[in-house]
Amino acid sequence: MLAGDLARGLAAATHPNGPIRTYREARHAVRCARHLARYLHETGFTGALSHLTATQITPYWLEFGFTFERHSRITLNGFHADGGPLHADVQAHLDGRPINQQAGSTPHRPYSDTEWRRIDEAARSAIDTAWQDHRKALDSAERGADPIAHGITRDNLAWLIRRTGPVSGRAIRAMIPGAPWSIRATVLEIRDALYPTGYTALVYNLRLSMLTGAVPDGIDDLAVPDFTHTGPATGLLSYRKGRTAREALDLRGPAVRLLDQWLAHSAPLREHAGELSECMWINYNGTALSGQPRTPWQRIKWAKTVDLTDDNGQPMAPHGGRIRTTCHHRRDRSAWTGRTTIDPNHTPAIEGDHYLHHHTPAQVEAIEGVIEEAQRDIRRKAAPPVIVTNQDAARFAADFPRLVADPGLDGDAIQRLLAGEQDVFVASCASLYNSPHAPSGTACPARPWVCLLCPLAVFTPRHLPNLLRLQRYFADQERHMTNAQFLAVFGPYADRLSTDLLPRFSTTAIRAATENVFAVLQPEEIP
């Protein structure tokens, strides 16, 4: 019965009704559902999902962490959306915040200069060798003729393989009556020179990643039409980034020449590729045509073949994410000349003593003022928001002594805060004329969203409708601005609102405030 309910929840949680959209997600969800069923069976649970209580599911979430909690929540929500009944306590947990939070990922570590140089030299050497062998094989094919009529020679075998496509030595022997077994090695050598292997496609792919810094999955899925020449030595590369959409990259010099050489190198193979001819990284792996050269085993085996090692002498397979990180890291450092003095004839001590040390009193005061203001801003942004959920003034003063002490508030001021007499758009202001954004005695001129990071702001449930309106305003701005623009203008405020302020209010209060917001909107304003 339990297994049937879990299967019902998984089916209801799949696309388009739920968040399970890919085969990989479905596989993880099924694995986690089996894990949950085994856990409940081991704890003695024999009922259906409708008999499951919060005291039985909560220990499971606490013990096994974020991934299993996430997938079990998806399954339970799918079961409930399909009409399955759930215990009220379990449903309250599903409506609230997850117990476990996803751990932050570890950024890729860039390669050191010596490791980067080893990868670059190995890729360059492999590309040069493969290209020279390819040119020699083409010349041999041009000089050759039909081996059946003119005899079995290297040039004649190259002529035959060039016209038949990538085939095995056995197939070539079958085409030439009386051909000896000894030609097999020559046939394989000519075939691998004429038609790029998986290793050859891998090093071209690797070299392009090192020159451009594009995302690995975007480069792996390239098609021939994605590369367009915009000039003799310039080009435009269009690729799809998995987390966003299609992006374009301007190519110059080495990257353009590399792609031109690869297209020429793989042109003979494309003539025999059929539907795969549009794939950028087409290769022949010995048995069939392929379009994916950057598989894990190929990277590992290639690194062992060329004896590629890290700074500790351990085998080092090239990693697409680290290559992208290293490319951007080196690009950021490329503009620095390494010189640390203004005048190369001066030592750092001379320049520090004679050019950077002496300031007028006014300059010193201005510099100290800038430093103090920056420190106040950092302290203000790090302070947690003040949220009031009880309208009792005495309890408010007891729970939030910092708010009382810092601005110097008295009992009357606290009463006015709680009564709403000092409300601004999204909060109550502890001291409107003592704002950190204006001179003392002047009314605060800051925009409404600046209150989200202001230490004088106090948030109560009556401000929830305006906070939700501000959240919708942020969403509208994000659709009309680039990511960089939005993060520069609204990023800290949107993050404080969505991750720190709103989660502190109950689900019931947010639902009631949401209904209040939509009730006062015109029909054309409702999203």
Side-chain angles (χ1 to χ4, degrees), residues 92 95-96 461 464 468 502-516:
D95 292 337
L464 264 176
L468 294 175
L502 293 180
R504 294 173 181 250
F505 294 100
S506 66
T507 305
T508 304
I510 293 178
R511 185 182 298 113
T514 303
E515 295 174 355
N516 184 24

Side-chain angles (χ1 to χ4, degrees), residues 154-377:
R154 185 181 183 85
D155 291 349
N156 293 344
L157 289 176
W159 179 92
L160 181 60
I161 297 172
R162 177 71 175 83
R163 281 154 179 78
T164 58
V167 294
S168 64
R170 184 186 301 272
I172 292 294
R173 288 186 66 253
M175 296 178 190
I176 308 174
W181 278 102
S182 59
I183 69 169
R184 181 178 181 273
T186 304
V187 168
L188 296 181
E189 180 184 348
I190 296 173
R191 185 194 67 189
D192 291 345
L194 280 174
Y195 307 113
T197 64
Y199 291 154
T200 304
L202 171 65
V203 292
Y204 274 98
N205 178 292
L206 179 64
R207 180 67 180 150
L208 182 62
S209 300
M210 299 177 71
L211 292 174
T212 62
V215 291
D217 54 345
I219 287 186
D220 289 348
D221 295 335
L222 283 178
V224 175
D226 292 335
F227 172 60
T228 306
H229 271 282
T230 57
T234 59
L236 186 67
L237 187 67
S238 175
Y239 62 92
R240 181 173 294 277
K241 188 175 181 180
R243 292 176 297 174
T244 54
R246 295 201 71 84
E247 296 187 2
L249 188 66
D250 290 327
L251 301 183
R252 299 181 181 275
V256 175
R257 292 192 294 271
L258 179 74
L259 281 176
D260 286 339
Q261 180 175 312
W262 166 249
L263 292 176
H265 197 153
S266 58
L269 183 59
R270 298 183 192 280
E271 298 175 3
H272 307 280
E275 295 180 356
L276 286 177
S277 60
E278 292 295 315
C279 180
M280 175 64 77
W281 307 113
I282 188 172
N283 62 87
Y284 185 74
N285 58 21
T287 57
L289 293 176
S290 173
Q292 296 293 330
R294 204 178 60 89
T295 58
W297 71 268
Q298 280 182 321
R299 290 187 287 112
I300 294 172
K301 191 171 182 180
W302 176 77
K304 291 181 179 179
T305 302
V306 299
D307 194 23
L308 190 62
T309 58
D310 59 15
D311 290 339
N312 297 322
Q314 300 299 318
M316 177 180 63
H319 187 277
R322 291 188 66 186
I323 288 175
R324 172 175 165 81
T325 300
T326 309
C327 181
H328 286 280
H329 178 68
R330 294 174 65 87
R331 186 178 299 167
D332 292 340
R333 296 187 305 164
S334 61
W336 184 51
T337 62
R339 193 178 69 195
T340 57
T341 58
I342 300 173
D343 191 329
N345 299 315
H346 292 163
T347 64
I350 292 296
E351 290 201 347
D353 291 339
H354 293 272
Y355 296 96
L356 305 178
H357 178 68
H358 298 291
H359 301 287
T360 65
Q363 290 174 333
V364 172
E365 184 178 357
I367 292 174
E368 292 178 349
V370 171
I371 295 174
E372 292 174 359
E373 184 178 354
Q375 292 174 339
R376 285 196 297 269
D377 289 342

Side-chain angles (χ1 to χ4, degrees), residues 464-520:
L464 264 176
N466 283 348
L467 289 172
L468 294 175
R469 290 186 178 93
L470 185 60
Q471 187 183 43
R472 192 178 69 249
Y473 173 77
F474 287 156
D476 292 340
Q477 296 302 312
E478 188 174 10
R479 286 194 295 269
H480 295 90
M481 301 171 69
T482 65
N483 288 339
Q485 291 173 337
F486 179 81
L487 291 176
V489 178
F490 299 109
Y493 310 106
D495 179 70
R496 169 62 72 93
L497 178 60
S498 60
T499 63
D500 202 0
L501 283 175
L502 293 180
R504 294 173 181 250
F505 294 100
S506 66
T507 305
T508 304
I510 293 178
R511 185 182 298 113
T514 303
E515 295 174 355
N516 184 24
V517 169
F518 285 114
V520 299

Side-chain angles (χ1 to χ4, degrees), residues 27-59:
R27 185 178 60 186
H28 285 314
V30 171
R31 180 172 64 88
C32 292
R34 291 172 178 167
H35 186 269
L36 175 60
R38 287 195 298 268
Y39 171 83
L40 293 176
H41 176 73
E42 292 172 358
T43 58
F45 180 78
T46 58
L49 280 185
S50 58
H51 303 142
L52 187 67
T53 63
T55 56
Q56 294 166 324
I57 190 64
T58 303

